[in-house]
Amino acid sequence: HIPGLEMNVFSMEELCYCMKENAFLLDLSLLNDGLLNWIERECGLRELARALHPLVHKKGVLSTFVVTILRYVGLYDEACVEETEQALKKGAGLSGIEKRKRQADYLVEKKKYQSAAKGYEELLRQWREMEKEGTGIPAADCLASLWHNKGVAYIGLMHYERAAECFLQAYELEGGDDYLTDYLGA
C-alpha cells in the first residue's frame, strides 16, 4: 500500500510505475518500514532493502529513495529516471493541495481534460473545507490559479460557459490581464 496515493501494488514493476506516474504526489510517508519489509520479504530484494534502510531511518531525501528503487529495478531508462527525480525535487516542500494541483495541471498538459476538471473540482472542495476549518490554506494566488486552470480544462472540453465562469473567478481573486483576456475569450 502506497501511503498518500492510496494505491496497492503487487510487484516492483507496479511500484516503479506508480512512483514515476505520481512523482509530484509522493511525500516522505513513502519512506516507511512497511515498504522496506515488503521489498525484502515479498519481493526477495534484500540488497535493495538494505540500501534503502538508512534513507528510511535517518529521514533521507525522497528523491534519492525513489531514484534508488527505479535504478535498481531498471524498468526505465536513465532519462526517465532523471525526469522523475526532477519532478520529485520540484514537489519538495509543497502542500498537499499544491501537489494535487500539479497533477491536475499535468492532466491538462496531456489533454486529459475530463480527469483534470474533476481533479480541480475536488481541490476546490478541499479548499472550501480547509477554509471552514481554518487550517493550512495555501496562498490566494494558488486558488486563482486553480480556478484558471479548471477553466482551461473546460475549454478543452468545449464547455465555454463553464470556462468563462472559472476565468471570472480567477480574475476576481487575483486580477490581471491574462485572467480577464481568458474570460473575454471564453
Side-chain angles (χ1 to χ4, degrees):
H1 182 77
I2 307 300
L5 299 178
E6 304 310 314
M7 298 175 122
N8 293 323
V9 295
F10 300 95
S11 69
M12 287 303 293
E13 292 79 9
E14 286 182 8
L15 175 63
C16 290
Y17 178 81
C18 180
M19 291 188 306
K20 178 190 154 303
E21 291 299 315
N22 298 288
F24 33 81
L25 292 177
L26 296 174
D27 59 27
L28 289 173
S29 66
L30 182 67
L31 282 68
N32 65 67
D33 283 321
L35 183 57
L36 284 182
N37 291 335
W38 180 79
I39 290 170
E40 182 176 357
R41 292 187 183 127
E42 299 294 322
C43 299
L45 301 173
R46 285 192 178 102
E47 186 179 311
L48 177 59
R50 267 190 247 118
L52 296 171
H53 190 272
L55 295 171
V56 170
H57 292 279
K58 294 180 182 172
K59 294 298 177 199
V61 179
L62 178 64
S63 60
T64 304
F65 183 84
V66 171
V67 166
T68 301
I69 294 171
L70 293 176
R71 285 190 176 129
Y72 186 90
V73 174
L75 187 63
Y76 299 107
D77 63 17
E78 190 58 30
C80 186
V81 171
E82 288 175 13
E83 182 182 315
T84 304
E85 182 176 23
Q86 290 308 310
L88 287 163
K89 287 180 178 179
K90 284 180 185 177
L94 295 178
S95 71
I97 281 188
E98 290 167 321
K99 285 185 179 189
R100 296 210 182 275
K101 180 188 170 295
R102 281 190 177 209
Q103 181 183 33
D105 293 347
Y106 176 80
L107 292 170
V108 167
E109 288 174 21
K110 296 298 180 185
K111 300 182 190 293
K112 298 188 183 293
Y113 301 118
Q114 186 71 38
S115 296
K118 286 180 183 177
Y120 290 126
E121 188 55 44
E122 176 61 24
L123 284 168
L124 290 167
R125 185 191 62 72
Q126 287 178 358
W127 191 289
R128 287 186 290 272
E129 286 178 12
M130 291 170 72
E131 279 184 325
K132 285 179 187 175
E133 296 170 2
T135 58
I137 302 170
D141 63 333
C142 181
L143 181 58
S145 180
L146 268 174
W147 278 108
H148 176 268
N149 294 0
K150 183 180 177 185
V152 171
Y154 280 138
I155 289 289
L157 293 169
M158 295 184 230
H159 294 265
Y160 301 112
E161 282 186 43
R162 287 182 177 175
E165 291 169 11
C166 293
F167 293 143
L168 182 58
Q169 283 282 353
Y171 176 72
E172 289 174 351
L173 284 165
E174 185 76 14
D177 292 338
D178 290 341
Y179 293 152
L180 182 60
T181 302
D182 289 343
Y183 168 69
L184 294 172

